[in-house]
Amino acid sequence: MADTLADGLILGADGRPRCSWGASTPEYTTYHDTEWGQPVLGDDALFERMTLEAFQSGLAWITILRKRESFRRAFAGFAIDRVAAFSDADVTRLLADPGIVRNRMKIEAALQNARVAADLPDGLARLLWSFAPPPRPRPGSGAGVPPLTAESTALAKALKKRGFRFVGPTTAYALMQATGMVDDHIEGCCVPPVERPEVP
């Protein structure tokens, strides 16, 4: 049984305070405690998160989490070079795969994004992290977590200019949250803050 501590913070059955969304299902708890907000620096790993955030658009994130392993199998482990080489036959294969979200526009965007990412001279990580804002205090409540920011809006604009698709300002901000570019764990959450890494 979870007890609400403050706006956006819950005390779970294990006695640990965490962001309220992170206590709603076992999958969310694992994702919240071990992954969300942890810095991600690898190009392929960031491409995975970008792709999954795009597929999540209009859906609940739990849907994507539960299909994540199927997505990884379908998209060659999100290896950018491999996905960039996908053909029309792969699009047909993906559209027939019940383990993923079968949306043609999102599938085609994933392939397009892989091709753009493969051609970035300095890699995807350097581009994405160049828009990370300076570290700031954790929000004191759920109301302090914005849906988008000036940085995510600028990132979305830069990605669109380069040819990326399905990464608007809100999706870009969700990507920043998920990959540790911002720390939006509520103040008092059991997940400890992480130092900002140096981007290679």
PDB file of all heavy atoms in Angstrom, residues 121-138:
ATOM      1  N   PRO A 121      28.322  13.981 -37.920  1.00  0.00           N
ATOM      2  CA  PRO A 121      29.789  13.919 -37.865  1.00  0.00           C
ATOM      3  C   PRO A 121      30.344  13.667 -36.469  1.00  0.00           C
ATOM      4  O   PRO A 121      31.376  12.999 -36.327  1.00  0.00           O
ATOM      5  CB  PRO A 121      30.229  15.287 -38.404  1.00  0.00           C
ATOM      6  CG  PRO A 121      29.032  16.175 -38.253  1.00  0.00           C
ATOM      7  CD  PRO A 121      27.844  15.284 -38.399  1.00  0.00           C
ATOM      8  N   ASP A 122      29.672  14.157 -35.431  1.00  0.00           N
ATOM      9  CA  ASP A 122      30.172  14.004 -34.061  1.00  0.00           C
ATOM     10  C   ASP A 122      29.345  13.033 -33.223  1.00  0.00           C
ATOM     11  O   ASP A 122      29.575  12.906 -32.018  1.00  0.00           O
ATOM     12  CB  ASP A 122      30.217  15.364 -33.364  1.00  0.00           C
ATOM     13  CG  ASP A 122      31.178  16.322 -34.047  1.00  0.00           C
ATOM     14  OD1 ASP A 122      32.269  15.863 -34.441  1.00  0.00           O
ATOM     15  OD2 ASP A 122      30.829  17.506 -34.196  1.00  0.00           O
ATOM     16  N   GLY A 123      28.389  12.361 -33.846  1.00  0.00           N
ATOM     17  CA  GLY A 123      27.590  11.386 -33.128  1.00  0.00           C
ATOM     18  C   GLY A 123      26.346  11.975 -32.483  1.00  0.00           C
ATOM     19  O   GLY A 123      26.231  13.188 -32.283  1.00  0.00           O
ATOM     20  N   LEU A 124      25.415  11.093 -32.138  1.00  0.00           N
ATOM     21  CA  LEU A 124      24.132  11.512 -31.579  1.00  0.00           C
ATOM     22  C   LEU A 124      24.280  12.034 -30.154  1.00  0.00           C
ATOM     23  O   LEU A 124      23.632  13.015 -29.780  1.00  0.00           O
ATOM     24  CB  LEU A 124      23.161  10.327 -31.604  1.00  0.00           C
ATOM     25  CG  LEU A 124      21.727  10.604 -31.156  1.00  0.00           C
ATOM     26  CD1 LEU A 124      21.069  11.660 -32.038  1.00  0.00           C
ATOM     27  CD2 LEU A 124      20.911   9.309 -31.167  1.00  0.00           C
ATOM     28  N   ALA A 125      25.121  11.400 -29.350  1.00  0.00           N
ATOM     29  CA  ALA A 125      25.261  11.812 -27.951  1.00  0.00           C
ATOM     30  C   ALA A 125      25.744  13.257 -27.842  1.00  0.00           C
ATOM     31  O   ALA A 125      25.200  14.044 -27.057  1.00  0.00           O
ATOM     32  CB  ALA A 125      26.223  10.881 -27.215  1.00  0.00           C
ATOM     33  N   ARG A 126      26.733  13.598 -28.617  1.00  0.00           N
ATOM     34  CA  ARG A 126      27.269  14.967 -28.537  1.00  0.00           C
ATOM     35  C   ARG A 126      26.201  15.991 -28.927  1.00  0.00           C
ATOM     36  O   ARG A 126      26.083  17.047 -28.304  1.00  0.00           O
ATOM     37  CB  ARG A 126      28.503  15.117 -29.419  1.00  0.00           C
ATOM     38  CG  ARG A 126      29.220  16.440 -29.242  1.00  0.00           C
ATOM     39  CD  ARG A 126      30.502  16.470 -30.045  1.00  0.00           C
ATOM     40  NE  ARG A 126      31.493  15.569 -29.513  1.00  0.00           N
ATOM     41  CZ  ARG A 126      32.345  15.884 -28.537  1.00  0.00           C
ATOM     42  NH1 ARG A 126      32.285  17.073 -27.982  1.00  0.00           N
ATOM     43  NH2 ARG A 126      33.232  15.012 -28.120  1.00  0.00           N
ATOM     44  N   LEU A 127      25.411  15.667 -29.956  1.00  0.00           N
ATOM     45  CA  LEU A 127      24.351  16.590 -30.378  1.00  0.00           C
ATOM     46  C   LEU A 127      23.302  16.744 -29.273  1.00  0.00           C
ATOM     47  O   LEU A 127      22.965  17.866 -28.873  1.00  0.00           O
ATOM     48  CB  LEU A 127      23.688  16.077 -31.657  1.00  0.00           C
ATOM     49  CG  LEU A 127      22.430  16.836 -32.111  1.00  0.00           C
ATOM     50  CD1 LEU A 127      22.747  18.305 -32.404  1.00  0.00           C
ATOM     51  CD2 LEU A 127      21.797  16.161 -33.321  1.00  0.00           C
ATOM     52  N   LEU A 128      22.784  15.638 -28.769  1.00  0.00           N
ATOM     53  CA  LEU A 128      21.709  15.710 -27.782  1.00  0.00           C
ATOM     54  C   LEU A 128      22.174  16.393 -26.495  1.00  0.00           C
ATOM     55  O   LEU A 128      21.489  17.284 -25.980  1.00  0.00           O
ATOM     56  CB  LEU A 128      21.187  14.310 -27.466  1.00  0.00           C
ATOM     57  CG  LEU A 128      20.506  13.555 -28.619  1.00  0.00           C
ATOM     58  CD1 LEU A 128      20.053  12.175 -28.148  1.00  0.00           C
ATOM     59  CD2 LEU A 128      19.319  14.331 -29.181  1.00  0.00           C
ATOM     60  N   TRP A 129      23.317  16.001 -25.987  1.00  0.00           N
ATOM     61  CA  TRP A 129      23.795  16.542 -24.721  1.00  0.00           C
ATOM     62  C   TRP A 129      24.211  17.999 -24.818  1.00  0.00           C
ATOM     63  O   TRP A 129      24.292  18.693 -23.797  1.00  0.00           O
ATOM     64  CB  TRP A 129      24.941  15.685 -24.180  1.00  0.00           C
ATOM     65  CG  TRP A 129      24.442  14.496 -23.416  1.00  0.00           C
ATOM     66  CD1 TRP A 129      24.131  13.270 -23.915  1.00  0.00           C
ATOM     67  CD2 TRP A 129      24.170  14.437 -22.017  1.00  0.00           C
ATOM     68  NE1 TRP A 129      23.676  12.440 -22.909  1.00  0.00           N
ATOM     69  CE2 TRP A 129      23.703  13.122 -21.733  1.00  0.00           C
ATOM     70  CE3 TRP A 129      24.284  15.345 -20.967  1.00  0.00           C
ATOM     71  CZ2 TRP A 129      23.345  12.722 -20.446  1.00  0.00           C
ATOM     72  CZ3 TRP A 129      23.939  14.945 -19.685  1.00  0.00           C
ATOM     73  CH2 TRP A 129      23.474  13.648 -19.435  1.00  0.00           C
ATOM     74  N   SER A 130      24.443  18.497 -26.024  1.00  0.00           N
ATOM     75  CA  SER A 130      24.804  19.921 -26.167  1.00  0.00           C
ATOM     76  C   SER A 130      23.630  20.826 -25.784  1.00  0.00           C
ATOM     77  O   SER A 130      23.823  22.022 -25.554  1.00  0.00           O
ATOM     78  CB  SER A 130      25.262  20.224 -27.597  1.00  0.00           C
ATOM     79  OG  SER A 130      24.178  20.169 -28.518  1.00  0.00           O
ATOM     80  N   PHE A 131      22.418  20.247 -25.675  1.00  0.00           N
ATOM     81  CA  PHE A 131      21.239  21.032 -25.302  1.00  0.00           C
ATOM     82  C   PHE A 131      20.848  20.833 -23.828  1.00  0.00           C
ATOM     83  O   PHE A 131      19.854  21.410 -23.381  1.00  0.00           O
ATOM     84  CB  PHE A 131      20.057  20.667 -26.209  1.00  0.00           C
ATOM     85  CG  PHE A 131      20.219  21.187 -27.615  1.00  0.00           C
ATOM     86  CD1 PHE A 131      20.876  20.429 -28.575  1.00  0.00           C
ATOM     87  CD2 PHE A 131      19.751  22.446 -27.962  1.00  0.00           C
ATOM     88  CE1 PHE A 131      21.052  20.914 -29.872  1.00  0.00           C
ATOM     89  CE2 PHE A 131      19.923  22.934 -29.247  1.00  0.00           C
ATOM     90  CZ  PHE A 131      20.578  22.165 -30.207  1.00  0.00           C
ATOM     91  N   ALA A 132      21.620  20.024 -23.110  1.00  0.00           N
ATOM     92  CA  ALA A 132      21.301  19.803 -21.694  1.00  0.00           C
ATOM     93  C   ALA A 132      21.486  21.097 -20.917  1.00  0.00           C
ATOM     94  O   ALA A 132      22.509  21.764 -21.036  1.00  0.00           O
ATOM     95  CB  ALA A 132      22.194  18.713 -21.119  1.00  0.00           C
ATOM     96  N   PRO A 133      20.502  21.486 -20.110  1.00  0.00           N
ATOM     97  CA  PRO A 133      20.630  22.712 -19.323  1.00  0.00           C
ATOM     98  C   PRO A 133      21.615  22.518 -18.175  1.00  0.00           C
ATOM     99  O   PRO A 133      21.938  21.370 -17.819  1.00  0.00           O
ATOM    100  CB  PRO A 133      19.211  22.950 -18.802  1.00  0.00           C
ATOM    101  CG  PRO A 133      18.629  21.576 -18.714  1.00  0.00           C
ATOM    102  CD  PRO A 133      19.214  20.806 -19.867  1.00  0.00           C
ATOM    103  N   PRO A 134      22.071  23.593 -17.562  1.00  0.00           N
ATOM    104  CA  PRO A 134      22.919  23.452 -16.370  1.00  0.00           C
ATOM    105  C   PRO A 134      22.160  22.706 -15.277  1.00  0.00           C
ATOM    106  O   PRO A 134      20.930  22.769 -15.216  1.00  0.00           O
ATOM    107  CB  PRO A 134      23.202  24.905 -15.955  1.00  0.00           C
ATOM    108  CG  PRO A 134      22.915  25.724 -17.173  1.00  0.00           C
ATOM    109  CD  PRO A 134      21.843  25.008 -17.928  1.00  0.00           C
ATOM    110  N   PRO A 135      22.869  21.979 -14.425  1.00  0.00           N
ATOM    111  CA  PRO A 135      22.194  21.282 -13.310  1.00  0.00           C
ATOM    112  C   PRO A 135      21.387  22.261 -12.468  1.00  0.00           C
ATOM    113  O   PRO A 135      21.774  23.421 -12.293  1.00  0.00           O
ATOM    114  CB  PRO A 135      23.360  20.695 -12.507  1.00  0.00           C
ATOM    115  CG  PRO A 135      24.470  20.552 -13.500  1.00  0.00           C
ATOM    116  CD  PRO A 135      24.324  21.721 -14.431  1.00  0.00           C
ATOM    117  N   ARG A 136      20.239  21.798 -11.969  1.00  0.00           N
ATOM    118  CA  ARG A 136      19.365  22.639 -11.157  1.00  0.00           C
ATOM    119  C   ARG A 136      18.818  21.799 -10.009  1.00  0.00           C
ATOM    120  O   ARG A 136      18.896  20.567 -10.053  1.00  0.00           O
ATOM    121  CB  ARG A 136      18.220  23.172 -12.023  1.00  0.00           C
ATOM    122  CG  ARG A 136      17.305  22.073 -12.536  1.00  0.00           C
ATOM    123  CD  ARG A 136      16.231  22.581 -13.481  1.00  0.00           C
ATOM    124  NE  ARG A 136      15.284  21.536 -13.803  1.00  0.00           N
ATOM    125  CZ  ARG A 136      14.804  21.319 -15.016  1.00  0.00           C
ATOM    126  NH1 ARG A 136      15.181  22.088 -16.017  1.00  0.00           N
ATOM    127  NH2 ARG A 136      13.934  20.351 -15.238  1.00  0.00           N
ATOM    128  N   PRO A 137      18.275  22.429  -8.990  1.00  0.00           N
ATOM    129  CA  PRO A 137      17.690  21.650  -7.887  1.00  0.00           C
ATOM    130  C   PRO A 137      16.539  20.783  -8.387  1.00  0.00           C
ATOM    131  O   PRO A 137      15.853  21.119  -9.357  1.00  0.00           O
ATOM    132  CB  PRO A 137      17.181  22.732  -6.925  1.00  0.00           C
ATOM    133  CG  PRO A 137      17.953  23.962  -7.267  1.00  0.00           C
ATOM    134  CD  PRO A 137      18.209  23.885  -8.744  1.00  0.00           C
ATOM    135  N   ARG A 138      16.320  19.670  -7.705  1.00  0.00           N
ATOM    136  CA  ARG A 138      15.185  18.827  -8.039  1.00  0.00           C
ATOM    137  C   ARG A 138      13.890  19.579  -7.747  1.00  0.00           C
ATOM    138  O   ARG A 138      13.835  20.391  -6.815  1.00  0.00           O
ATOM    139  CB  ARG A 138      15.225  17.538  -7.206  1.00  0.00           C
ATOM    140  CG  ARG A 138      16.275  16.554  -7.673  1.00  0.00           C
ATOM    141  CD  ARG A 138      16.286  15.298  -6.841  1.00  0.00           C
ATOM    142  NE  ARG A 138      16.929  14.209  -7.576  1.00  0.00           N
ATOM    143  CZ  ARG A 138      17.036  12.969  -7.136  1.00  0.00           C
ATOM    144  NH1 ARG A 138      16.549  12.642  -5.945  1.00  0.00           N
ATOM    145  NH2 ARG A 138      17.632  12.046  -7.865  1.00  0.00           N
TER     146      ARG A 138
END
